[in-house]
């Protein structure tokens, strides 16, 4: 993985807080993530039941597979959210306001955030992501196309903490968190992240967020276990990423993808189930997975609009507007 400090076009001028000016409209900031991946992964893998935090699904292969998932007929989330954005673009833009700082959380290649540039005319566009690989070329592309906007990339793991105070100026901020990514946090973690966002957005700022809604179990199960097996490959690939980070020898082919809707918890769960006994060496000791034993790799929480609005209120947001598609499959909120 490259990082901003390794970018060949970096200017030697070093700005405060680890940010550095690349040229007059593009700034890179890199928060050195604490090297806690290995202990965090080992702790989860020796636990009973074993677990892998979902952020590890996104190495380069995992990110590409996720892009493919977003195009699948079963995975309605991306296209339904997009349809809501298209249908209610003007009303959403009127609620969010123009000429603000725009923070694209989990920006990736910034395509979803860039779609709002015309409608919201942000003064500053701040892309926040755990990986530079997609953000770096996206910001360079956008900086070339929009001469009136200042672009900034912040490379950080905001599942730990959202440390942006030094990157924002005193003007209002619109946070953008699409794709129901908030659903990959537990409700307590989601509340913590939403509270951090609310503190950072300032009195006249707000949060534009897309959140999936509970629905028919079979549709949900199909969305997370598609017919051609892209989601299965995405899930199994996490073991390749773990092998690289921990230095162990999981055989992804020895695990089966399992996805189901846990209705009482209002979440889709993804697991990897051992097809036969597996012995994996972790930090010098052996971890044996019995046939049928599972590793929990992801939760994807679904919220009824009144439940999510209540979570936003608990995080300190006041005025909340909601837009939905006709079938009520997905919801987009602007919270002030
Ligand atoms: C990124 N996140 C919102 C996706 C979701 O729907 O929870 C990740 C995903 N997992 C399986 N398919 C897609």
């Amino acid at each position: 993985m490259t990082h901003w400090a390794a970018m060949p076009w970096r200017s030697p001028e070093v700005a405060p807080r680890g940010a550095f000016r690349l040229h007059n409209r593009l700034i890179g900031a890199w928060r050195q993530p604490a090297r806690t991946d290995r202990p965090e992964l080992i702790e989860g893998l020796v636990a009973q039941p074993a677990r892998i935090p979902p952020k590890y699904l996104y190495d380069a292969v995992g990110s590409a597979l996720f892009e493919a998932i977003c195009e699948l007929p079963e995975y309605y989330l991306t296209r339904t959210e997009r349809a809501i954005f298209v249908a209610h673009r003007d009303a959403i833009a009127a609620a969010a306001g123009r000429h603000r700082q725009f923070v694209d959380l989990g920006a990736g290649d910034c395509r979803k955030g860039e779609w709002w540039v015309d409608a919201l005319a942000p003064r500053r566009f701040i892309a926040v992501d755990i990986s530079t690989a997609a953000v770096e070329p996206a910001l360079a592309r956008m900086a070339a196309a929009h001469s009136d906007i200042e672009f900034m990339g912040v490379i950080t793991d905001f599942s730990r903490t959202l440390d942006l105070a030094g990157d924002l100026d005193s003007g209002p901020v619109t946070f953008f968190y699409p794709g129901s990514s908030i659903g990959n946090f537990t409700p307590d973690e989601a509340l913590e992240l939403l509270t951090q966002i609310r503190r950072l957005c300032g009195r006249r700022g707000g949060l534009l967020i897309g959140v999936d809604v509970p629905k028919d179990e079979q549709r949900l199960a199909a969305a997370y276990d598609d017919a051609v097996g892209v989601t299965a490959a995405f899930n199994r690939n996490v073991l390749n990423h773990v092998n690289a980070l921990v230095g162990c020898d999981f055989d992804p082919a020895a695990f089966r993808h399992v996805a189901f809707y846990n209705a009482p918890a209002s979440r889709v769960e993804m697991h990897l189930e051992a097809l036969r006994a597996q012995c994996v060496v972790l930090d010098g000791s052996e971890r044996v997975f019995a046939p049928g034993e599972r590793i929990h790799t992801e939760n994807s929480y679904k919220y009824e609009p009144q439940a999510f609005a209540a979570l936003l209120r608990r995080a300190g947001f006041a005025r909340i507007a909601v837009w939905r598609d006709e079938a009520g499959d997905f919801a987009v909120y602007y919270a002030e």
Side-chain angles (χ1 to χ4, degrees):
M1 186 171 91
T2 58
H3 59 74
W4 290 98
M7 287 158 65
W9 34 291
R10 175 169 80 102
S11 134
E13 185 198 335
V14 176
R17 286 175 53 82
F20 28 84
R21 194 161 281 279
L22 298 163
H23 60 73
N24 61 349
R25 284 179 297 101
L26 180 55
I27 301 171
W30 185 54
R31 308 272 177 281
Q32 171 95 48
R35 289 283 104 210
T36 53
D37 295 340
R38 202 166 181 276
E40 179 179 49
L41 283 164
I42 291 172
E43 188 194 331
L45 288 167
V46 298
Q48 303 273 0
R51 58 176 190 274
I52 298 172
K55 65 186 173 193
Y56 295 104
L57 289 161
Y58 302 92
D59 64 351
V61 173
S63 299
L65 287 167
F66 178 63
E67 299 271 301
I69 287 171
C70 293
E71 304 295 325
L72 290 169
E74 296 94 332
Y75 196 76
Y76 58 85
L77 288 81
T78 314
R79 65 172 176 278
T80 311
E81 181 182 60
R82 167 53 68 100
I84 298 171
F85 287 163
V86 169
H88 301 286
R89 178 182 185 265
D90 293 347
I92 293 171
R98 288 165 65 84
H99 309 303
R100 304 197 164 183
Q101 298 174 88
F102 183 88
V103 177
D104 190 352
L105 279 180
D109 66 6
C110 299
R111 294 272 174 208
K112 285 184 175 181
E114 189 177 12
W115 191 82
W116 284 103
V117 163
D118 284 346
L120 300 182
R123 278 192 302 114
R124 304 182 70 218
F125 187 113
I126 298 129
V128 182
D129 204 279
I130 198 169
S131 155
T132 57
V135 169
E136 177 189 331
L139 286 179
R141 183 191 74 237
M142 287 194 292
H146 306 281
S147 58
D148 48 340
I149 303 173
E150 182 181 89
F151 288 91
M152 181 175 199
V154 178
I155 303 306
T156 185
D157 177 2
F158 62 87
S159 74
R160 297 175 206 264
T161 180
L162 185 61
D163 173 20
L164 294 183
D167 304 306
L168 301 171
D169 65 30
S170 57
V173 190
T174 300
F175 277 83
F176 179 55
Y177 198 31
S180 203
S181 294
I182 194 75
N184 297 135
F185 294 93
T186 66
D188 283 348
E189 291 165 348
L191 177 62
E192 175 62 34
L193 178 59
L194 294 171
T195 305
Q196 292 180 42
I197 293 172
R198 199 264 304 153
R199 287 196 190 114
L200 288 165
C201 46
R203 278 190 53 232
R204 286 176 302 125
L207 166 66
L208 176 58
I209 185 166
V211 186
D212 198 12
V213 172
K215 56 184 60 65
D216 173 68
E217 262 178 53
Q218 261 151 22
R219 270 188 77 201
L220 282 167
Y224 290 81
D225 191 8
D226 59 278
V228 288
V230 183
T231 312
F234 170 69
N235 195 10
R236 273 197 213 95
N237 177 66
V238 79
L239 296 179
N240 292 322
H241 194 198
V242 169
N243 283 342
L245 291 171
V246 175
C248 53
D249 58 349
F250 276 104
D251 173 10
F255 287 83
R256 169 175 98 83
H257 167 65
V258 176
F260 57 88
Y261 185 52
N262 175 342
S266 197
R267 69 187 191 210
V268 173
E269 297 185 14
M270 290 206 317
H271 300 256
L272 289 167
E273 184 179 291
L275 292 168
R276 46 191 177 273
Q278 294 293 302
C279 180
V280 179
V281 178
L282 293 169
D283 227 9
S285 37
E286 289 187 343
R287 169 65 159 102
V288 176
F289 292 89
E293 190 175 344
R294 289 178 179 178
I295 306 172
H296 192 168
T297 52
E298 188 186 66
N299 289 320
S300 193
Y301 282 85
K302 313 296 170 188
Y303 290 90
E304 292 291 358
Q306 66 273 29
F308 196 73
L311 198 64
L312 287 166
R313 271 188 226 101
R314 282 178 66 201
F317 287 97
R319 269 186 296 182
I320 299 164
V322 190
W323 296 270
R324 297 181 74 172
D325 56 303
E326 244 171 57
D329 282 345
F330 199 89
V332 168
Y333 304 76
Y334 180 74
E336 241 175 51

